[in-house]
Amino acid sequence: MNIIVCVKQVLDPEIPPAKFKIDPETKQVIAPSGVPPVISVYDERAVEAACRLKDKHKGKITVISIGSEKASDVIKHAISMGADDGFVLNDAAFENLDSFGTAYVLGKAIQKIGGYDLILCGRQAADWGAGQVGSILAEILGIPVVTLACDIEAVDQNVRVKRIVNDGYEVVEAPMPSLVTVSSEIGLPRLPAGMRLMIARKKQIPVWKAQDIGAEASQLDKGNAHTEITSLTVPTRKTECEIVTGDTLSDAAVNLVSKLAKLI
Amino acid sequence: MDNHKGVLVCGEIAEGQLAPITIELLGVGRKLADELGEELSILLMGSKSGGLGQEAIAYGADNVYIAEESILDAYNSDAYTQAAANLCKKIVPSIMLFGHTDIGCDLSPRLNGRLGGGLAMECMELSIDPATKLLVSTRPVFGGNAHATMVSKSARPQMATMRAKTVPPAERNDARQGKVIPVEDKLDASAIKVRVVERIKEEVEGVKLEDAEVVVAGGRGMGTAQNFGMLRELAHVLGGAVGGTRVACDEGWAPATLQIGQSGKVVSPKLYIAVGLSGAMAHIAGCLGSKCIVAINKDKEANIFNVAHFGIVGDWKEVLPAMTAKFKELKAG
Ligand SMILES: Cc1cc2nc3c(=O)[nH]c(=O)nc-3n(C[C@H](O)[C@H](O)[C@H](O)COP(=O)(O)OP(=O)(O)OC[C@H]3O[C@@H](n4cnc5c(N)ncnc54)[C@H](O)[C@@H]3O)c2cc1C
């Protein structure tokens, strides 16, 4: 089974809100110093899903990422989990792409790689969280898409996907090749260990530019973007929190309950 | 010349009625259409939609498109995308609105990919820029740490999914006039590749999380599944429901259907008791509508104290048993 996983390197979404700073002029986030970027959470789960399929059916996992040259770190992370190969898609023209631009570039790279049965993406990126790249990519490639997977099985020529819905889940089947977006409910990613870390460290990660994948300048032109960010703000929220105390913590608890009594 | 005109709502039907989110969308859609001086239409799909035309008109629609094929009775990504794309090609809407629901989240990005529009998901606010007449969508980014506004300068339709309960429902007026238009084109069955094999409803015991007046939520700080059970006890005493952060659900202490936050459930109870959770923006997005938020956390710097009304700084192990006992006493007496 040949699987391609699309991953993104993002600002660590777990930095405390107090450290989160933006530049309203450029509409960009200012990364706090000393906090290394990470693989986007849902993308990491997509790699995990791919590894589970490979454990069962054998095959090959190829990981691609649009980003800076440092994006080789997230490819290496995926390789240390069990992926086989990876490419970084880096070009000045790939910076700040909207969802269509992103899907277009990924589509071009995927067509170059070719021979896939399954494409996996995270349900949304942990930074801008647009939540649509996977679906647009599937439309570009003309293959079926199933979103929000919490379990993926390959059954003959089909993928059988358990996907989360509001009050439970549904099981959906689609013929391969197809694209599946992965949600966190698929479960925790494996920890890279031993040999795999070594393999990843040594692996050369080729960088592909626009011309390597045949991406056309007109498609990447910001003037043709489908969406544009017009402002970025940090919401201000001021709640006066009354810290309830007492001689002991259980006294504090009793005092707190008296304050809440009228609410219940 | 841009021939895209009007606002189209993608309707949803729940238990044979227009879903609450759809009535909210008709409200916003009406406002946007009026500001543009254009019409508001709605697409209703499935064999139950026939009877709902007048209802949708009463809530503000000028045109109701009814696609009654039985294959549209339950959501199928391929069938819905095709039906919606067919209608869009026919009526070329300028704006298309969806609920940020199971259906909206799956359908809108695909339809966007097919039509080449511009989509903003999970919007909290939609308006028309008076100068450019473009749809301006406001949505959370970076897990809710920031808000972005977005426009689509030339891509059409301009699409948005809207969070539930961010706008009031449309007002009903049975005197309103409008047209009910059956969709004649049949779907191409050969293009329906995805098949829904089964749907499983996960029953939760007790009060439904979204309806509960009291929610007790726990996070990583609970440490074990057994400890998490103590939250259930408190919820039980208060006649409320239990929920968890993503970490708590990842750990399996609570089922995935009880995750609260941006990528989980949105709750707005009278009382929200947050125990051993840090208050990440992506979590808080799911509980900000609560009347009163109470935080129990041993770290006084935790972000949850920035949104809580009452808090105790300390180990929940020393706080929770006393709280539960005291509430029990109050309830009994
Ligand atoms: C795109 C995106 C979507 C997301 N969606 C969601 C979502 O829908 N819901 C969600 O919850 N998260 C979501 N997250 C994840 C979110 O960013 C946080 O990672 C998560 O909410 C943190 O969970 P937590 O508070 O349980 O854990 P932590 O942040 O680790 O907090 C644990 C807290 O427990 C406290 N604690 C520990 N021990 C004790 C003790 N004995 N007594 C008292 N306090 C104690 C600690 O002081 C700490 O503050 C999302 C993230 C992204 C990027």
Side-chain angles (χ1 to χ4, degrees), chain A residues 185-208:
Chain A
E185 290 81 358
I186 204 137
L188 293 170
R190 62 195 63 195
L191 292 172
M195 274 299 285
R196 294 234 50 101
L197 279 167
M198 283 267 293
I199 294 169
R201 201 173 309 130
K202 287 205 186 121
K203 188 93 186 167
Q204 288 294 320
I205 312 296
V207 175
W208 284 347

Side-chain angles (χ1 to χ4, degrees), chain B:
Chain B
M1 221 359 240
D2 181 16
N3 59 346
H4 291 84
K5 274 218 162 18
V7 179
L8 174 62
V9 167
C10 178
E12 287 187 39
I13 299 170
E15 284 152 24
Q17 299 297 314
L18 291 180
I21 179 72
T22 298
I23 300 176
E24 291 162 23
L25 291 175
L26 284 170
V28 226
R30 185 72 260 167
K31 261 197 214 130
L32 300 174
D34 287 344
E35 272 170 59
L36 293 167
E38 294 176 4
E39 291 193 328
L40 174 65
S41 304
I42 181 170
L43 169 61
L44 294 175
M45 292 180 261
S47 47
K48 293 214 182 74
S49 55
L52 296 171
Q54 288 308 320
E55 187 89 358
I57 291 169
Y59 282 115
D62 298 309
N63 307 301
V64 184
Y65 292 91
I66 306 276
E68 272 186 303
E69 278 182 81
S70 57
I71 191 169
L72 299 169
D73 280 356
Y75 183 70
N76 174 298
S77 186
D78 287 343
Y80 270 55
T81 306
Q82 200 188 132
N86 286 349
L87 182 66
C88 285
K89 281 177 193 147
K90 195 169 238 163
I91 69 168
V92 282
S94 170
I95 293 176
M96 187 163 182
L97 306 179
F98 303 80
H100 194 70
T101 56
D102 289 338
I103 294 180
C105 289
D106 186 78
L107 176 59
S108 65
R110 266 197 95 180
L111 192 61
N112 185 32
R114 195 161 295 185
L115 300 173
L119 169 65
M121 291 183 76
E122 217 193 329
C123 297
M124 306 168 294
E125 208 183 312
L126 297 172
S127 63
I128 300 291
D129 181 299
T132 59
K133 301 289 178 200
L134 293 175
L135 176 70
V136 182
S137 312
T138 308
R139 59 179 300 267
V141 290
F142 292 86
N145 281 302
H147 292 167
T149 59
M150 298 177 37
V151 298
S152 295
K153 285 222 173 104
S154 54
R156 293 291 176 276
Q158 307 166 79
M159 304 162 92
T161 70
M162 185 101 197
R163 267 192 194 169
K165 296 185 196 145
T166 38
V167 290
E171 266 173 50
R172 191 190 175 108
N173 173 0
D174 286 305
R176 286 188 47 89
Q177 300 285 313
K179 283 187 286 212
V180 177
I181 306 158
V183 174
E184 306 288 354
D185 316 310
K186 290 276 163 280
L187 296 179
D188 170 8
S190 72
I192 298 171
K193 300 263 188 332
V194 174
R195 201 167 62 88
V196 178
V197 184
E198 58 176 338
R199 287 200 164 83
I200 310 288
K201 218 176 157 147
E202 271 181 359
E203 303 292 341
V204 278
E205 277 172 54
V207 203
K208 231 176 118 194
L209 183 57
E210 297 96 310
D211 302 336
E213 300 222 314
V214 177
V215 171
V216 183
R220 193 195 310 269
M222 296 311 293
T224 66
Q226 200 181 358
N227 289 344
F228 206 86
M230 294 173 72
L231 301 176
R232 280 190 199 100
E233 194 189 337
L234 176 57
H236 182 73
V237 169
L238 295 171
V242 163
T245 64
R246 193 179 65 196
V247 173
C249 295
D250 271 354
E251 294 291 345
W253 304 338
T257 42
L258 298 187
Q259 179 176 317
I260 294 169
Q262 200 192 355
S263 41
K265 298 275 169 4
V266 176
V267 299
S268 41
K270 279 197 210 154
L271 178 59
Y272 190 84
I273 304 177
V275 189
L277 62 85
S278 63
M281 298 307 277
H283 176 76
I284 291 174
C287 68
L288 262 187
S290 311
K291 281 230 172 61
C292 177
I293 298 177
V294 173
I296 298 158
N297 194 305
K298 65 180 182 188
D299 172 13
K300 69 177 193 330
E301 302 297 330
N303 191 53
I304 189 71
F305 291 116
N306 292 326
V307 294
H309 303 87
F310 296 101
I312 292 182
V313 179
D315 193 327
W316 63 263
K317 289 193 190 83
E318 291 171 53
V319 180
L320 206 53
M323 261 181 96
T324 307
K326 188 68 190 171
F327 271 127
K328 229 183 224 166
E329 200 182 300
L330 276 180
K331 283 280 181 179

